[in-house]
Amino acid sequence: MQLSNGTEVTVRRYRTEDAEEIVNLIIRNFKEVNVKDYGEEAVKALVATHTVEWFQGVASYANVYVFCIGQLIAGVGSISSFWGSPTESILLTIFVLPELHGKGIGRFIIETLERDELFLRAERIEIPASITAVEFYRKLGYDFKDGIKALDEENHYRLEKFRKKEN
């Protein structure tokens, strides 16, 4: 994918050595972007739980994709089975460097995840969306789970998309 300025964004699968840079990217989003919707205390709690070990745990059960500009990790996204279901999947850890928001990388992440085998085999795909990102996901065809527009106990909106199974 190319940004409007001609910069190339490439995608590859996650490697263990990416974990620290990815966690730093996620924490920057919490501190620079999500703080506006959640406040300092909530962000402090998120930063405390989002460690390299936490991310390696996610990578142990999810298909994780890394989006790069040269050697710089510009974004990340992952998809996993939803609680082991063969017909449901969940999109997780979708983040873009704050200075690159609005450039199309987030859409590229979703498009990539929607080509993954875990998406293609699913009838229903869920996204736990932050207050900050909920409208972005809605533009991409995800809607409030069961029509409920309310934050859950993790302060996320639960969004979902249904796919028709091909015979």
Side-chain angles (χ1 to χ4, degrees):
M1 156 209 184
Q2 275 196 333
L3 300 181
S4 58
N5 67 3
T7 302
E8 187 71 25
V9 179
T10 58
V11 60
R12 63 172 171 77
R13 293 301 280 264
Y14 164 81
R15 297 188 291 247
T16 306
E17 60 268 21
D18 297 329
E20 188 172 346
E21 189 174 350
I22 289 169
V23 168
N24 289 336
L25 180 156
I26 292 169
I27 288 172
R28 280 197 56 208
N29 272 275
F30 292 157
K31 290 180 172 180
E32 297 172 33
V33 182
N34 299 102
V35 69
K36 297 171 189 121
D37 292 315
Y38 289 95
E40 295 284 342
E41 288 306 309
V43 164
K44 249 188 243 180
L46 284 169
V47 167
T49 60
H50 287 69
T51 63
V52 168
E53 294 75 24
W54 160 81
F55 190 80
Q56 289 170 332
V58 171
S60 73
Y61 62 80
N63 292 344
V64 180
Y65 295 87
V66 177
F67 299 80
C68 300
I69 297 174
Q71 298 304 308
L72 175 71
I73 295 177
V76 64
S78 61
I79 184 168
S80 173
S81 171
F82 188 70
W83 297 104
S85 170
T87 60
E88 296 180 306
S89 292
I90 186 168
L91 303 186
L92 301 163
T93 59
I94 300 166
F95 291 91
V96 174
L97 282 172
E99 62 271 22
L100 296 174
H101 284 198
K103 308 270 191 229
I105 298 171
R107 179 178 293 273
F108 184 39
I109 291 171
I110 298 299
E111 290 168 355
T112 300
L113 296 174
E114 289 183 348
R115 287 190 299 271
D116 183 274
E117 66 270 13
L118 292 175
F119 183 91
L120 296 173
R121 62 111 211 229
E123 294 171 16
R124 189 184 79 85
I125 301 87
E126 186 164 310
I127 298 180
S130 68
I131 295 167
T132 315
V134 70
E135 290 307 318
F136 167 74
Y137 296 128
R138 293 191 70 222
K139 285 182 202 163
L140 298 176
Y142 292 83
D143 210 349
F144 295 104
K145 183 178 178 179
D146 301 323
I148 299 169
K149 183 181 179 177
L151 292 169
D152 66 10
E153 66 283 348
E154 295 176 12
N155 275 323
H156 289 116
Y157 289 103
R158 293 286 166 171
L159 302 181
E160 63 187 354
K161 180 186 270 189
F162 290 92
R163 293 188 65 254
K164 298 219 183 336
K165 286 302 263 187
E166 286 121 33
N167 295 334

